[in-house]
Every structure is written in structure tokens, then in C-alpha cells.
Amino acid sequence: MAAELTEGKAVSLPRSMPNAGAASRHSLSIWVWLFIIGLIIPLFIYVGPLRLTVYRIALLVAFFPALFFWLSGRAGRIRLPDICVIVICLWSSLSMVIIEGGLGGTLETIGILWVETLGAYLLGRCYIRTPEAFFAITRLLFRIGLLLLPFALYELVSGTNLYLRLFGFLGPVYWENFQESRLGLERVQGPFAHPIHFGVFFGGLTGLFYYVLGHETPWIGRVRNAVFAVFLCFSSLSSGPLLAAMSQIIFLTWDGILKSVRSRWYIFVGLALLAFIVVDLISNRTPFHVAISYLALNEGTAYNRILIWHFGTRSIFANPLFGIGLTDNWARPSWMVDSVDMFWIVPAMRHGILLWIAYLTLFFSVFLSVTFRRAPNERVLWYKTGYLCTMTGVFMVGWTVHFWDAIFAFLMFLIASGMWMLDWEGSEDEDEKTGDEGRTTDITYTRFPAQS
């Protein structure tokens, strides 16, 4: 029971939502815990031609429990984002069968698609259903950052991925993705497939670390949390993730400076639109081109992303129904590499315009629904702000990098992990204190000690 403070006594309030899954109100589901830990275990397990990882195994095991949980209605009513994810899986599967000429050669790929897309989404949708679970997952991610920090520092100065090499003694792992040095330092890859993914993973968590872990903590503690995420992001030495971190720093700085201005976010959006129009009017390049050229650490990669947008969108409209499949056969100059460092157009290139619509609808239907959902208390308001801050960074970085493998699965989980805010109906005066182990401490005293 929660306790609501009144002028002279403590009144107990009923909980507004049942426990989520096998986890208690104050702890993470074992499925979520195994999935998150699995993201940083880079071991491969081969079952015939199928390459499994620890996080994929966790998603496979949790897939049907999460699916039944969702279908039972215990995760709230079916919403537009749920439908978008189903459409993504169904149309992608149909596209692959048609483009590749049958089910035989695509069965494993389709299976992994469903597991990493719908499975990861349902994990966040079904098992992150309370403020306590949201806090617990953020705290777990922070502790993962602490675990990886010494490995990141070593790799940053030496160029040796000690983390991958240690796991390499146990079995096959990701290749060390050697990249050019930048700013006199080496790029940190950590447990992921590419240094960009290390930066995306932690850069996208800046908002969560600041607001969720920073709720009811001194300002300096919140800043420390954000700086920690930004430093880990910086160690990847990738401009895309740094753009995500920078956008979140702007977000939380604006929020802090104008905290007393109720219409501050309308002002923010208005100024952003005004800046876009001004740049478009005074420059002979589009605002997108200007931003990419100034924000990239490497001018060549910035120009390449502009070309990716140009030729990538041309490929989408040339193959609007089912796309080009999983091949790299998209029309481009012969001197351009085949990789597409822009997540928000890759699904449409592969599977048609419907996937473009579905992914953007998925993101904005969650983002806008959470934005306009009134928070029932201050704690949820902080968590909501942190989630929106993080999702802003994720959206920005998706235009400069591609998400695949563990980072893609984490993206789907992250999108769904904030949807509990659409169903949560806590008390206006609920003032729960989260202890070191995520337990809620009921307040049994009044604000007037002399009357106790």
C-alpha cells in the first residue's frame, strides 16, 4: 500500500495496477534481466546454420509467455503501436518470401526477425508495467555502464578490445572492428558488433540516467549521471551517437532553465521550426545537409550520409511495394559502399514504403501518446520526461546510423518500455521512496512531528 500525506495523518491508497508477470512490483522479471544481461555477452552459439546469442535465446524463451501475457489483456488494451509491430513482422516476412523466391531460404531469417522485433517489443510492453520496474531497468543499465567502464577506458587508449578477447576464450564472438583513430584516441567497440553501437547504447540513455535515476537527488548527482552516459557515448568517437547525446543535453538544459515556464516545450518546438526555416532560407543547402556537415567528426562520412539519403530514398520509390529484399543491390554510384547508415530508411528500402510508414507510426504513436498523457504524480512526470528525452536522442541518431543485431532488439524493447505510462493511474499525492533494492518505503509519519 502507498501512503498519502495529509495535514495530520497518513492515508493508505490502493495500488492501481496488478503485478506484471512473474516479477514482483519492485523487481525486474527474470526474462527482462536475462535479455539485458544477454546484450553485453558477445558469445555466439550455433545451432546448425542458425547463429544464436544470449539475448536471442532469452527472447526465444520469453516469446510465448510474453505473447500470452499481452493477449490476455494484462498489459492493457491493444494499442496502435502493437498493431504497427505486427504489421512490420508480417509485411517483412511476406516481402522476403516474395523477393527471395520462397520460404526455404528465408525461414531462419524470418524467425529471427519475429524474435528480435515482436519478441523484444513484447518484453518491454508486458514486463515493464510500473514505475518501480522502469526505475529498476534504468538502474541495471547504469550498473552495466559501470561494469564496462574500465574495459572502455583501456580500449580507448590502447585500441585493444579486452572485453571481446576475454569472451573469445569461451567461444566465438564478434570480430574486433578496427577503425581509424580519431582525436588521437581509439574507438571503443565494447561487447557490440561495431563502435557505433557502443555509442548508441549509452548515448541514448542520457535522459534516463538524468531524470529516472536523478529523481529526488541533488542537481550534481543528476549531472554526474548524464556526464557518465555522455562519456561512454563519446568513447565510441562516432558523430551519430554524439548527436543523440547532444540533443538530450539540449533537452534537459532547456527543461532545467525554464522549469517554471509551463509552455516551455511549445516554445522549444516553435524555436526549432523557426531555426529550420531560417537555415532553409539563407543556405544553399537543406537544413539536413547543414546539420550533418557541422555535426560529423569526419567530413567524408557526413557527405556519404547525404548521398545515402539521396540514393536510398530513390531506391524506396523505385521499389515501393516489396523493396529490394536483403540484398545490397540498390542503385548508387559504383564508388559508394553498400552499407546504409540510416536506420529510418533501411526497412523501407528492404521491404517497401509500408514499412517506412509502420516504423514512423510506431515511434510517433508512442512518443506523442506519452507526451500528452498527464502524469499522475511528480515521480512519473520525471520518468516520463526522461523517457521522452531518451527517445528524442534515439530518433535523432537513427538518421545517421543503422541499428542491427543487439542494438535493434534493444531499440524495440526501449520503445515499448515506456508504454506503461499510458495505463498507469497512480495517486496525485503518491510519494513513494525507492530504496537501494528498488523497494518502496511506506511513509508512516506526518509532516507535524509534534502531533505524531
Side-chain angles (χ1 to χ4, degrees):
M1 302 289 288
E4 177 185 3
L5 289 178
T6 64
E7 289 302 313
K9 61 182 179 179
V11 180
S12 294
L13 296 171
R15 294 302 187 193
S16 62
M17 187 173 293
N19 290 339
S24 72
R25 177 183 170 86
H26 312 302
S27 63
L28 284 178
S29 163
I30 186 63
W31 309 125
V32 175
W33 193 89
L34 289 174
F35 169 69
I36 295 298
I37 297 300
L39 293 174
I40 63 165
I41 299 178
L43 287 171
F44 298 157
I45 302 167
Y46 288 93
V47 180
L50 190 63
R51 191 201 76 178
L52 295 177
T53 54
V54 175
Y55 81 86
R56 282 180 176 175
I57 293 173
L59 290 177
L60 279 168
V61 174
F63 186 87
F64 286 106
L67 182 62
F68 293 145
F69 190 99
W70 174 64
L71 291 174
S72 70
R74 287 184 289 166
R77 63 183 177 84
I78 295 176
R79 296 180 178 273
L80 178 58
D82 305 336
I83 298 172
C84 288
V85 176
I86 297 295
V87 169
I88 288 169
C89 291
L90 288 174
W91 194 262
S92 299
S93 303
L94 177 63
S95 167
M96 280 190 278
V97 170
I98 292 174
I99 297 298
E100 303 300 328
L103 186 62
T106 60
L107 188 59
E108 293 88 354
T109 304
I110 290 174
I112 292 299
L113 167 75
W114 280 78
V115 167
E116 289 191 339
T117 306
L118 181 60
Y121 174 85
L122 289 179
L123 202 64
R125 179 81 165 85
C126 297
Y127 297 110
I128 306 297
R129 300 296 300 161
T130 65
E132 288 80 11
F134 196 66
F135 175 86
I137 192 63
T138 306
R139 182 180 57 185
L140 176 59
L141 292 168
F142 187 86
R143 290 175 175 175
I144 285 175
L146 292 176
L147 172 67
L148 295 179
L149 178 61
F151 296 99
L153 290 172
Y154 184 80
E155 189 176 357
L156 186 65
V157 297
S158 70
T160 301
N161 193 330
L162 185 60
Y163 193 85
L164 282 184
R165 294 191 181 189
L166 289 175
F167 276 96
F169 289 114
L170 302 177
V173 295
Y174 293 113
W175 293 101
E176 287 190 56
N177 204 312
F178 296 106
Q179 301 282 320
E180 78 283 358
S181 300
R182 293 179 177 177
L183 305 177
L185 298 169
E186 304 297 328
R187 301 181 66 183
V188 175
Q189 178 181 349
F192 301 110
H194 195 280
I196 285 178
H197 283 184
F198 190 86
V200 169
F201 187 80
F202 287 106
L205 297 175
T206 306
L208 291 181
F209 285 1
Y210 183 87
Y211 284 101
V212 178
L213 299 183
H215 178 237
E216 294 190 337
T217 63
W219 176 81
I220 191 66
R222 300 196 298 272
V223 172
R224 175 204 60 205
N225 294 344
V227 169
F228 178 62
V230 173
F231 173 77
L232 288 173
C233 171
F234 168 79
S235 67
S236 71
L237 297 176
S238 178
S239 53
L242 285 173
L243 172 62
M246 186 185 306
S247 65
Q248 292 173 85
I249 293 297
I250 294 171
F251 185 107
L252 60 90
T253 301
W254 179 271
D255 185 44
I257 293 174
L258 299 180
K259 196 73 175 178
S260 60
V261 180
R262 295 189 62 179
S263 59
R264 60 190 178 279
W265 295 118
Y266 293 103
I267 299 173
F268 183 85
V269 173
L271 290 176
L273 291 174
L274 178 62
F276 182 92
I277 294 170
V278 170
V279 171
D280 193 41
L281 290 175
I282 67 177
S283 175
N284 58 358
R285 297 178 294 170
T286 68
F288 173 77
H289 293 169
V290 172
I292 288 293
S293 61
Y294 280 103
L295 294 174
L297 294 176
N298 184 303
E299 187 176 348
T301 60
Y303 183 66
N304 186 59
R305 283 175 171 84
I306 293 172
L307 293 175
I308 286 173
W309 168 258
H310 177 75
F311 291 105
T313 52
R314 180 180 294 183
S315 175
I316 292 172
F317 291 111
N319 305 274
L321 193 57
F322 295 115
I324 60 174
L326 301 179
T327 68
D328 298 319
N329 187 27
W330 55 289
R332 65 189 186 279
S334 58
W335 43 265
M336 278 187 68
V337 297
D338 56 16
S339 64
V340 182
D341 299 326
M342 197 172 291
F343 171 75
W344 295 114
I345 71 170
V346 171
M349 290 177 65
R350 289 177 172 175
H351 309 298
I353 289 179
L354 180 60
L355 264 291
W356 206 356
I357 297 171
Y359 269 104
L360 292 177
T361 302
L362 166 64
F363 180 87
F364 282 107
S365 61
V366 175
F367 187 91
L368 294 177
S369 296
V370 173
T371 297
F372 293 106
R373 171 71 174 178
R374 186 172 180 272
N377 55 62
E378 183 191 26
R379 183 188 183 191
V380 175
L381 178 61
W382 276 67
Y383 290 9
K384 166 185 168 179
T385 307
Y387 174 77
L388 293 175
C389 183
T390 281
M391 295 311 296
T392 298
V394 167
F395 181 75
M396 295 290 289
V397 76
W399 293 105
T400 60
V401 306
H402 180 45
F403 306 141
W404 74 93
D405 214 66
I407 293 300
F408 172 74
F410 182 63
L411 168 68
M412 298 305 298
F413 171 84
L414 194 61
I415 289 174
S417 68
M419 291 185 65
W420 63 272
M421 300 179 201
L422 304 180
D423 299 312
W424 183 258
E425 297 178 354
S427 166
E428 288 285 347
D429 300 314
E430 188 180 37
D431 190 17
E432 298 170 325
K433 308 291 184 181
T434 304
D436 291 339
E437 296 304 318
R439 291 185 294 270
T440 300
T441 303
D442 292 338
I443 302 174
T444 58
Y445 53 85
T446 79
R447 285 180 283 183
F448 303 94
Q451 298 178 12
S452 298

